[in-house]
Amino acid sequence: MSFVCGISGEPTEDPVVSPVSGCIFDRRLIVKYIAENGTDPISHGELAEDSLVSLKAGGTGAAPRNVSGTSIPSLLKMLQDEWDTVMLNSFSLRQQLQIARQELSHSLYQHDAACRVIARLSKELTAAREALSTLKPHTTAKVDDDVSIEESDDQQGLSEAILAKLDEKSKSLTADRKQRGKNLPEGLAKSEEFAELKQTASHTGIHSTGTPGITALDIKGNLSLTGGIDKTVVLYNYEKEQVVQTFKGHNKKINAVVLHPDTKTAISASADSHIRVWNADDASSKVVIDIHQAPVTDISLNASGDYILSASDDSYWAFSDIHSGKSLCKVSVDPGSQIAVHCIEFHPDGLIFGTGAADAVVKIWDLKNQGIAAAFPGHTAAVRSIAFSENGYYLATGSEDGEVKLWDLRKLKNLKTFANEEKQPINSLSFDITGSFLGIGGQKVQVLHVKSWSEVASLSDHSGPVTGVRFGENARSLVTCSLDKSLRVFSI
């Protein structure tokens, strides 16, 4: 039997065991190590030469021959001593190398953490400087007890020509809507058919995969306009699975998007407090509307196609011209307090609109006099989404606690309430073109039949919160987006 030395890794001539570490060494090497260090080479505990225990291997037990004093044996002894020294030095170097590796790894980790902190602080400093540079002085004029209109040089006010244009468009839309209401489209989906609603397409490569999450959606025909956490807006043909245009310019995530009926103009609102109007042909930003002092949370296009409503966390809503970029008016939803406005939408006629805010109150506004026409208290949490029925009679609102309410605008009261079991925020609401069905985007996608107020479809295909829901033609398809970075199409 032969033993291997713990220092040299070679077979031992005179094996001994250390009572401190229990390892076996060649006596010649361990004695020299003890003479230099006084410790065990493995455990580094104190060790004396007389503590070593000799080991006897099987064999004859005959003692080796003594080295004579000739020159050749002397040379061999000198070489043996040199080899022992090299082995001891090699062992020490291996230990020092291991310690150096550990210290280097720790230093690199600290350096990487420091670089990350510096990068984050630099980014925050840049954002703070940009926010400071965009601050503008404003003065506020009190109109009545419920409304505060902010005046600045950028605001032109609602002229008689603009009011006449809006009024003429409203009358035309009212007449068209009454005509459509007499006969429903022949191909309109029936409530029982929604049991067959299945996913037909899923698109996950539209936005950046590095910062995943689609936060806003609008569709026109087979074109979808989406905004994401990656600060970009994308015009996408979901039937051809082709990106038509990508718009870049915002500094923070996108909160809302609107695709103009001409499909050549896209409008986006961002947490950087700006609203941008894009040209789909060359991806240029035609107009930048800078009227709010906090993130813009929602936007809604007037039926005329020339004006946009915007809501913001600065507690104001604003009415602006998308061609000139000028704000025509800016009004506080609750003077004297800072109540964030989470959602806003025009009535189909374009002369009134609704807002939902952090105070859980839904307000209906008259655009002509910028005053409150009605208020609907009833939610117990912040109102996150709002949608008017195409018939103009009903309003749906969704809150942060997963509750959806249907309001009658004629009787000014709550008709029905639908509560989600998940109690998750309702991020998106959308009626189909006839007002027969209501799409809900929360933790999952749900479709309600408005008349019976019953759930006709529930879709859990998304793996994250649903942020956008839109109906296709005749409610036979549904387009949705989610923070799971996917755009999905469901069809009957």
Side-chain angles (χ1 to χ4, degrees):
M1 176 184 293
S2 62
F3 299 98
V4 177
C5 177
I7 296 177
S8 65
E10 301 290 336
T12 60
E13 293 180 0
D14 184 7
V16 294
V17 63
S18 168
V20 177
S21 64
C23 295
I24 298 174
F25 305 97
D26 195 320
R27 179 182 292 277
R28 185 180 64 258
L29 293 178
I30 189 64
V31 167
K32 292 180 179 179
Y33 188 92
I34 293 173
E36 292 180 6
N37 302 285
T39 61
D40 185 280
I42 304 300
S43 65
H44 304 292
E46 291 187 3
L47 179 64
E49 182 180 349
D50 55 3
S51 300
L52 299 174
V53 180
S54 297
L55 295 177
K56 301 297 183 180
T60 60
R65 295 177 62 185
N66 292 328
V67 178
S68 62
T70 62
S71 61
I72 293 177
S74 298
L75 181 60
L76 292 175
K77 181 67 169 62
M78 181 183 66
L79 293 175
Q80 183 70 60
D81 291 342
E82 189 68 26
W83 186 85
D84 292 345
T85 303
V86 170
M87 288 298 101
L88 288 170
N89 187 53
S90 175
F91 180 76
S92 298
L93 289 176
R94 288 199 301 269
Q95 285 188 323
Q96 293 173 8
L97 176 62
Q98 182 64 25
I99 294 172
R101 282 177 174 171
Q102 292 176 350
E103 291 177 349
L104 178 60
S105 176
H106 182 67
S107 298
L108 289 175
Y109 176 79
Q110 287 183 323
H111 178 267
D112 182 64
C115 289
R116 291 176 181 271
V117 171
I118 292 171
R120 179 176 59 81
L121 292 176
S122 298
K123 185 177 180 181
E124 291 178 355
L125 177 61
T126 302
R129 284 175 174 171
E130 290 178 355
L132 184 62
S133 65
T134 57
L135 290 177
K136 298 178 181 178
H138 294 273
T139 59
T140 303
K142 199 73 177 289
V143 176
D144 54 38
D145 293 338
D146 299 318
V147 180
S148 175
I149 299 178
E150 190 170 283
E151 299 174 347
S152 75
D153 295 337
D154 293 337
Q155 296 173 32
Q156 301 174 347
L158 297 179
S159 65
E160 292 297 328
I162 294 175
L163 292 174
K165 181 179 179 179
L166 295 176
D167 195 51
E168 181 181 354
K169 186 65 176 178
S170 175
K171 292 177 180 179
S172 172
L173 290 172
T174 302
D176 292 344
R177 189 178 69 248
K178 289 181 179 179
Q179 186 65 29
R180 286 197 308 270
K182 295 178 180 178
N183 298 301
L184 294 176
E186 294 183 1
L188 181 67
K190 298 179 180 178
S191 58
E192 57 269 18
E193 291 182 292
F194 275 89
E196 304 172 6
L197 190 65
K198 304 295 182 184
Q199 179 178 302
T200 55
S202 177
H203 311 283
T204 57
I206 302 175
H207 286 266
S208 169
T209 56
T211 50
I214 302 177
T215 54
L217 169 70
D218 195 18
I219 67 169
K220 291 289 184 297
N222 59 350
L223 293 176
S224 69
L225 185 69
T226 56
I229 297 177
D230 61 358
K231 311 171 191 175
T232 62
V233 180
V234 179
L235 183 61
Y236 185 74
N237 189 319
Y238 57 83
E239 289 188 357
K240 296 181 180 179
E241 299 186 4
Q242 177 182 355
V243 174
V244 178
Q245 196 62 266
T246 300
F247 309 101
K248 296 182 179 180
H250 285 292
N251 297 323
K252 294 184 179 180
K253 72 170 184 173
I254 311 301
N255 287 329
V257 293
V258 170
L259 182 57
H260 198 280
D262 64 10
T263 70
K264 296 296 182 181
T265 303
I267 308 169
S268 59
S270 167
D272 63 8
S273 77
H274 292 159
I275 301 166
R276 290 181 180 266
V277 182
W278 308 91
N279 187 337
D281 292 329
D282 57 7
S284 63
S285 180
K286 299 190 298 183
V287 171
V288 178
I289 302 173
D290 182 15
I291 187 64
H292 292 287
Q293 306 302 316
V296 182
T297 54
D298 199 8
I299 51 177
S300 179
L301 185 68
N302 185 265
S304 65
D306 297 324
Y307 307 102
I308 192 96
L309 269 176
S310 57
S312 171
D313 282 342
D314 63 5
S315 80
Y316 283 85
W317 62 260
F319 184 67
S320 308
D321 189 323
I322 66 171
H323 301 295
S324 65
K326 297 292 184 180
S327 177
L328 304 179
C329 65
K330 183 179 178 183
V331 179
S332 172
V333 297
D334 191 359
S337 62
Q338 289 293 322
I339 297 176
V341 188
H342 295 316
C343 53
I344 192 166
E345 180 161 324
F346 265 116
H347 185 272
D349 290 346
L351 286 180
I352 63 173
F353 61 92
T355 59
D359 60 357
V361 178
V362 179
K363 294 180 180 179
I364 306 299
W365 298 78
D366 186 336
L367 182 59
K368 288 184 176 181
N369 58 25
Q370 295 105 56
I372 298 173
F376 297 131
H379 282 288
T380 56
V383 181
R384 308 292 303 190
S385 52
I386 187 170
F388 282 96
S389 172
E390 181 62 25
N391 61 22
Y393 300 146
Y394 301 115
L395 170 69
T397 55
S399 63
E400 204 164 52
D401 59 0
E403 195 173 68
V404 179
K405 289 183 177 291
L406 185 69
W407 308 88
D408 190 325
L409 298 177
R410 297 165 296 182
K411 300 179 181 179
L412 300 180
K413 68 175 185 178
N414 175 224
L415 293 179
K416 299 169 183 177
T417 299
F418 178 81
N420 277 315
E421 297 178 357
E422 295 86 357
K423 301 293 183 182
Q424 296 297 317
I426 303 300
N427 302 311
S428 179
L429 291 172
S430 178
F431 284 96
D432 74 298
I433 190 65
T434 65
S436 302
F437 301 99
L438 175 65
I440 302 173
Q443 194 62 28
K444 58 184 178 180
V445 179
Q446 295 168 284
V447 180
L448 300 184
H449 183 246
V450 176
K451 188 174 183 179
S452 63
W453 201 243
S454 59
E455 183 180 87
V456 294
S458 179
L459 309 167
S460 302
D461 299 72
H462 285 290
S463 59
V466 180
T467 53
V469 177
R470 293 293 184 273
F471 283 96
E473 186 177 3
N474 291 331
R476 302 195 70 84
S477 63
L478 199 64
V479 182
T480 64
C481 67
S482 166
L483 291 182
D484 66 3
K485 71 182 178 182
S486 68
L487 176 75
R488 298 176 187 262
V489 182
F490 301 87
S491 302
I492 296 177

